Amino acid sequence: MSNDIYNYRDPNLSLYQVNSNYSLLLQIYPATFSYAVVYQNKLMAWAEDCDIKLLTEPGDVHELLSFDYKKVAAGVHPTGFTLIPNALFNEAKIADFGRYLDVKPNEKVLAQPLDDDNHIVFKVDNKVAASAEKFGIENIVFFNKGWIDVIADSNPQANNLYLNIDKTQVDILYFANGKIRFYNCFEFTNPDELAYYTSLVAQELQLQPENLILQVSGDCNIDDKNLTRLAEFFNGVEQNELELLEHRSAIFPHQLLALAALSLCVSSEVY
């Protein structure tokens, strides 16, 4: 991962040409954030693991954050979440649903539609919420909502298990007949733990590892220790090649997928 530097910036891009047709996509953690500036379907700039202070004081290096973007998706990293079927969801009872999440005094509960069948109720650190609210509460989205949406739109197959690796967390997603059958996240510290949790999900879903292909995105490379270890247990491990944004750099689609997919969430509704 980088250290407060641009991973990519269109050489012709300057703050002076940014206008209302540009979108800002953010992934916000307690201490850091990543962002992308998008024009139509083109990636204009991308930076990862920036100090959270730069959201309010971007300086010259991150001058693009100084523009008042009208199109924003601020993905907030949750400290917990639960899915509620639409038939049971009631906006007035969000606090009651939050009881399932063991909400702490320093956390805030939010909710939004996840798909046609479910709402997602999630809690975030108050600092994360405050950082995101700078961009308007109506622009706050569940961190991986875009990633879930783009996979749902890709005609997911029953022999595919989808993983997104974000530092030491893996989100695992499975579809059956076009519907979300499983979604959860796990913290891991080494390749063995990653393989264990992925195998545990397959077992819970009564899926045979030898028949499953893992489609992996995020912080990974096909020959790194994590994916090499997973390949020992499953039929195949592939980097997810879904690509949403055009760019002039040798960025692998799987690296950018979760952030780029937030472009599908611009103007999503959150409570």
Side-chain angles (χ1 to χ4, degrees):
M1 303 294 285
S2 64
N3 183 20
D4 274 12
I5 62 172
Y6 279 102
N7 297 87
Y8 173 73
R9 181 167 179 168
D10 188 291
N12 299 316
L13 178 64
S14 71
L15 179 61
Y16 302 104
Q17 73 185 69
V18 178
N19 56 47
S20 59
N21 293 320
Y22 283 68
S23 300
L24 177 65
L25 313 177
L26 297 144
Q27 293 174 314
I28 303 176
Y29 305 83
T32 65
F33 70 100
S34 299
Y35 71 92
V37 176
V38 176
Y39 174 69
Q40 295 177 345
N41 66 333
K42 295 181 180 179
L43 177 68
M44 305 304 294
W46 170 38
E48 62 179 9
D49 280 358
C50 305
D51 191 299
I52 197 68
K53 295 179 182 178
L54 293 172
L55 273 180
T56 52
E57 300 177 6
D60 294 337
V61 176
H62 298 274
E63 62 173 355
L64 294 172
L65 293 173
S66 300
F67 183 77
D68 184 18
Y69 293 88
K70 305 304 179 186
K71 301 176 182 179
V72 179
V76 289
H77 194 265
T79 52
F81 62 85
T82 186
L83 271 61
I84 305 294
N86 289 343
L88 299 178
F89 182 78
N90 185 328
E91 183 180 347
K93 295 183 178 180
I94 290 177
D96 293 332
F97 292 129
R99 295 176 182 174
Y100 294 108
L101 302 176
D102 188 25
V103 180
K104 307 298 187 207
N106 65 326
E107 295 175 325
K108 183 173 184 175
V109 178
L110 301 169
Q112 68 180 156
L114 184 66
D115 59 10
D116 291 338
D117 302 305
N118 303 285
H119 274 66
I120 188 162
V121 179
F122 56 103
K123 60 178 183 174
V124 297
D125 185 278
N126 284 338
K127 293 180 180 179
V128 172
S131 296
E133 286 171 1
K134 170 192 174 184
F135 301 95
I137 191 169
E138 72 278 5
N139 295 320
I140 298 175
V141 298
F142 180 71
F143 195 80
N144 273 333
K145 185 181 187 309
W147 177 70
I148 294 170
D149 286 348
V150 74
I151 292 173
D153 291 341
S154 70
N155 189 28
Q157 302 300 302
N159 64 333
N160 283 346
L161 196 61
Y162 296 88
L163 279 66
N164 188 71
I165 297 175
D166 185 3
K167 302 177 178 64
T168 58
Q169 176 177 300
V170 59
D171 285 64
I172 303 179
L173 177 65
Y174 182 72
F175 283 82
N177 299 318
K179 304 288 186 180
I180 295 175
R181 183 177 172 191
F182 180 91
Y183 174 61
N184 209 341
C185 66
F186 305 89
E187 295 287 336
F188 69 96
T189 59
N190 56 60
D192 286 337
E193 289 185 358
L194 175 60
Y196 168 77
Y197 287 123
T198 308
S199 298
L200 186 65
V201 169
Q203 181 180 358
E204 181 174 330
L205 294 170
Q206 297 183 338
L207 301 171
Q208 300 303 315
E210 61 271 18
N211 297 327
L212 279 177
I213 295 175
L214 306 184
Q215 297 284 344
V216 189
S217 56
D219 297 331
C220 61
N221 292 299
I222 198 63
D223 57 352
D224 69 21
K225 292 181 179 179
N226 285 330
L227 299 201
T228 300
R229 187 62 169 148
L230 287 170
E232 296 178 17
F233 298 92
F234 294 90
N235 183 41
V237 178
E238 301 176 356
Q239 292 174 162
N240 197 316
E241 297 299 324
L242 292 173
E243 190 163 16
L244 300 179
L245 302 176
E246 298 177 6
H247 52 80
R248 302 179 184 177
S249 180
I251 301 170
F252 293 111
H254 74 273
Q255 292 177 286
L256 195 60
L257 184 58
L259 177 58
L262 287 172
S263 60
L264 303 177
C265 302
V266 174
S267 299
S268 291
E269 186 177 10
V270 69
Y271 312 105

